[in-house]
Amino acid sequence: MRLPVMVMEMMVDSLTSLVDKHEKIPIHIKFSFVHNVSLGLCYLHNHNPPIIHRDLSPNNVLLTAHHVAKISDLGVAKVIKADSGKTMTKAPGTVDFMPPETLRENPEYGPPMDVFSFAGIVLHTFNQKWPHPTELVQYDHKTRKMVALSEVERRQQYLDKMRGEAEVLRPLVEECLDYDPAVRPTITAVCERIQQKTEIDQLRRENTQKGLENNHLKTETKQQKFEINHLKYGNDQLKFEVDQLNQQLSSTRTVPTQQVASQLNRVTLGGPTTKTSKLKIEAPPLMPALTSGRYHIKWTQLANLPAQMCRAYVTVQDKKVYVAGGNSPVVDAMHQVYVYDVNTDHWDQLPPSGHYYGVPYIIGGKLAIIGGWLHAVKNWTNKVSTFDETSQTWTPHYPDLLSARNRPGVVTHLEHVIVAGGVKYVNNTPVVQDDIEVLN
C-alpha cells in the first residue's frame, strides 16, 4: 500500500537528558535554549487558530546536533477555535510544569497555560535541576495556621539560584508563574524580552570582538614598525660593510677579484676586473632577516626536563615554559605540571593538577589543564582546571567541556578557545573524538 510518510529531523538529545549529563552548561547556551523554545511557542500561539501544547516540559524539548532546541510531542495539543468552548479534560500534562487552572474541574485552557509551563523550563534550564514545587499549603509557626502559597513561593528555591547573567530573567519568570492566567504575559512579549537580552549580549560580544581586533591591529602595527626599523638597521649595516670594503680596495691595487668575492659573498661585483682598476661594489637588494646570512637558524638545547616524559604538551607565558600531560616511568609525574623559568634557568613544580594526560594551555592569561584522566574520580573528564597563583591551587575557573576528552588539540584565537578531537573511552574501548568545541 502506498501510504504517506513524514520524514522528520533527527534529534540527538532532549533537554532533560542534556541537563542531567553535563554539570555546567555555558550560560549563552542556556539562553539559546529558552529563546528557541519561546520562538516555537510564538509560532503555535500566533497560529490561526491558536494551538495550545498543553504538555510543555523539558522532556518534550529536543535538541539538534548543533544545540538548537525544538518543541516536540504535540499528542495532547489542542486547537482553540473562537466558536468552541475551551473546557477540556483535567491534568493532561507533566504535573510539575502545569499551572493551577489545569487542576480544577472542567478547566479552561488557553495560551497562558503554556506560558506557565515555559517558566518551569527556564527554571529547569538555568538551575539544571528538575523544579519540583513545594506543597500548596505550609504551616506558619507564628500564626499556627496553614497558609496557602503562591506559585512563585512554591518555586522560590529555584528562583533564588538565578544569579549573575540569569538574574535578568527572574522578573519575567515570576510574571509567567502568576496564579491568574490573565496577568501572565503573552508568549510574544516573553519572546521579545528574551530577544532583547540576546541582542544586548550579541552587541557586547561584537564590541568585545572589535576591541580585541583593534588591539590586535595595534600590536601588528607595532610589530611591522619594529620589523621596518630592524630592516633599516640591517640595510645601514650592510652599506657600512660595503663602504669599508671599498676603502680597503682603494688602498690595494692588486687585489684579485676572487679574493674580494671570498671576503664578502653578499655583494655583487661590477665594472672592469683589471689589476689597476677599482672594483665597483654595490649593495644587493634587501633580503629577509632570516636569509640575510647575519642570523644562524639552528636548534639548541634549552634545558633537561625534571622527569622523563613522552608525548608531553608545552605552553609558554612570560618567559616561563609549562610542561605537562606526558607519559612517564615516574607515575606521580604523569599529573604534575613543571615550569621552567628561562631567566633563572630553573625548574619548579606546581601542585598536582589531578589531570593525567591533561593538556596545559594559557587561557585568558591563566594556566589551565584541559581534559585527560581525573585522578579524583578515576575516569576521563571534561573538567578545565585553572591554576590560581595566589592560593597555589587548581580551581574550575572556566566552564567544563561538553564531553570528556583525552589529549585533545587546543588553540586560542582572539577571545575563542578551540578544542578539537581527542580520545574518550566507552566500556574501556578507545573512541576517537571527531568534533570541535569552542569556548567563547
Side-chain angles (χ1 to χ4, degrees):
M1 297 175 64
R2 292 192 175 186
L3 296 176
V5 176
M6 178 179 290
V7 180
M8 302 181 69
E9 182 179 9
M10 179 66 182
M11 310 300 282
V12 298
D13 215 340
S14 70
L15 183 58
T16 304
S17 175
L18 184 79
V19 167
D20 289 341
K21 288 189 294 186
H22 300 285
E23 293 183 8
K24 292 184 179 180
I25 300 174
I27 190 72
H28 70 280
I29 294 181
K30 294 180 180 179
F31 270 104
S32 177
F33 287 160
V34 298
H35 186 223
N36 294 156
V37 175
S38 69
L39 289 173
L41 279 182
C42 275
Y43 174 80
L44 293 176
H45 289 187
N46 292 319
H47 192 273
N48 188 16
I51 301 173
I52 312 302
H53 190 284
R54 298 207 305 162
D55 189 17
L56 191 63
S57 73
N59 294 331
N60 294 331
V61 175
L62 302 184
L63 307 174
T64 69
H66 300 289
H67 291 153
V68 177
K70 300 190 178 185
I71 299 172
S72 69
D73 196 357
L74 279 78
V76 296
K78 295 292 182 182
V79 176
I80 305 297
K81 297 181 179 179
D83 56 350
S84 64
K86 300 179 183 178
T87 306
M88 300 180 189
T89 55
K90 183 180 178 181
T94 306
V95 176
D96 291 336
F97 292 83
M98 292 166 53
E101 63 265 23
T102 60
L103 302 176
R104 305 167 188 160
E105 292 295 335
N106 298 321
E108 288 189 0
Y109 290 97
M113 172 189 178
D114 288 342
V115 173
F116 186 96
S117 302
F118 173 76
I121 289 180
V122 176
L123 292 178
H124 172 262
T125 302
F126 282 92
N127 283 274
Q128 294 196 230
K129 290 184 179 179
W130 193 268
H132 295 287
T134 61
E135 296 296 331
L136 289 167
V137 293
Q138 179 178 318
Y139 180 74
D140 190 338
H141 294 279
K142 294 181 179 180
T143 61
R144 296 183 180 182
K145 295 180 180 180
M146 300 300 290
V147 179
L149 298 179
S150 68
E151 296 299 324
V152 172
E153 292 171 330
R154 295 180 67 196
R155 295 162 177 82
Q156 196 67 46
Q157 58 173 320
Y158 304 104
L159 287 164
D160 290 342
K161 292 180 180 179
M162 293 189 67
R163 302 188 184 97
E165 291 186 51
E167 192 170 3
V168 70
L169 291 183
R170 177 169 176 169
L172 177 62
V173 173
E174 292 179 350
E175 292 175 30
C176 295
L177 290 173
D178 198 283
Y179 182 86
D180 187 354
V183 177
R184 295 171 204 155
T186 64
I187 194 60
T188 301
V190 170
C191 190
E192 288 176 353
R193 289 168 68 171
I194 297 176
Q195 178 68 28
Q196 289 174 357
K197 163 64 179 172
T198 305
E199 289 176 351
I200 291 172
D201 288 345
Q202 179 65 26
L203 287 173
R204 286 176 179 171
R205 285 195 293 270
E206 288 178 355
N207 289 335
T208 302
Q209 172 76 10
K210 290 178 180 177
L212 290 170
E213 289 177 352
N214 289 337
N215 291 336
H216 185 66
L217 289 172
K218 289 179 181 178
T219 303
E220 284 187 343
T221 302
K222 290 180 180 179
Q223 179 67 19
Q224 289 171 356
K225 288 181 178 179
F226 171 79
E227 291 175 356
I228 290 171
N229 292 333
H230 185 70
L231 291 173
K232 287 181 179 179
Y233 170 80
N235 194 27
D236 293 340
Q237 179 69 19
L238 190 58
K239 288 180 179 179
F240 173 78
E241 293 176 5
V242 171
D243 292 339
Q244 287 289 101
L245 279 175
N246 273 324
Q247 291 177 7
Q248 293 177 13
L249 291 172
S250 297
S251 61
T252 305
R253 299 180 62 185
T254 59
V255 177
T257 304
Q258 292 82 1
Q259 183 178 344
V260 176
S262 65
Q263 290 181 14
L264 181 62
N265 60 4
R266 287 175 293 141
V267 298
T268 58
L269 303 179
T273 57
T274 60
K275 292 183 179 180
T276 57
S277 63
K278 292 183 180 180
L279 291 175
K280 180 183 179 183
I281 302 177
E282 298 176 350
L286 197 61
M287 292 178 288
L290 290 180
T291 60
S292 66
R294 295 194 303 280
Y295 296 91
H296 299 284
I297 307 174
K298 64 179 182 179
W299 289 96
T300 57
Q301 183 172 332
L302 182 64
N304 290 327
L305 291 169
Q308 295 176 338
M309 300 183 76
C310 172
R311 298 172 68 187
Y313 287 87
V314 182
T315 188
V316 180
Q317 179 176 241
D318 297 333
K319 292 190 178 182
K320 290 185 179 180
V321 182
Y322 300 91
V323 182
N327 292 334
S328 175
V330 183
V331 176
D332 289 340
M334 295 168 66
H335 65 103
Q336 292 290 355
V337 180
Y338 300 101
V339 54
Y340 175 73
D341 193 322
V342 177
N343 292 327
T344 61
D345 188 25
H346 178 71
W347 283 99
D348 284 320
Q349 182 175 309
L350 299 183
S353 67
H355 291 247
Y356 287 83
Y357 316 117
V359 178
Y361 211 80
I362 303 299
I363 305 177
K366 294 180 178 289
L367 174 64
I369 300 291
I370 301 171
W373 173 277
L374 194 61
H375 184 65
V377 298
K378 308 294 184 184
N379 204 349
W380 302 105
T381 183
N382 61 342
K383 298 291 183 184
V384 179
S385 298
T386 304
F387 185 66
D388 188 334
E389 293 187 358
T390 304
S391 62
Q392 292 289 298
T393 57
W394 294 91
T395 58
H397 181 79
Y398 293 104
D400 296 342
L401 297 168
L402 295 179
S403 59
R405 295 173 186 269
N406 174 29
R407 292 182 172 169
V410 184
V411 70
T412 54
H413 177 66
L414 299 179
E415 81 275 23
H416 304 291
V417 180
I418 302 170
V419 177
V423 177
K424 66 179 179 180
Y425 284 75
V426 180
N427 298 326
N428 295 324
T429 302
V431 178
V432 179
Q433 301 280 75
D434 61 354
D435 60 334
I436 297 176
E437 296 184 26
V438 178
L439 173 67
N440 295 312

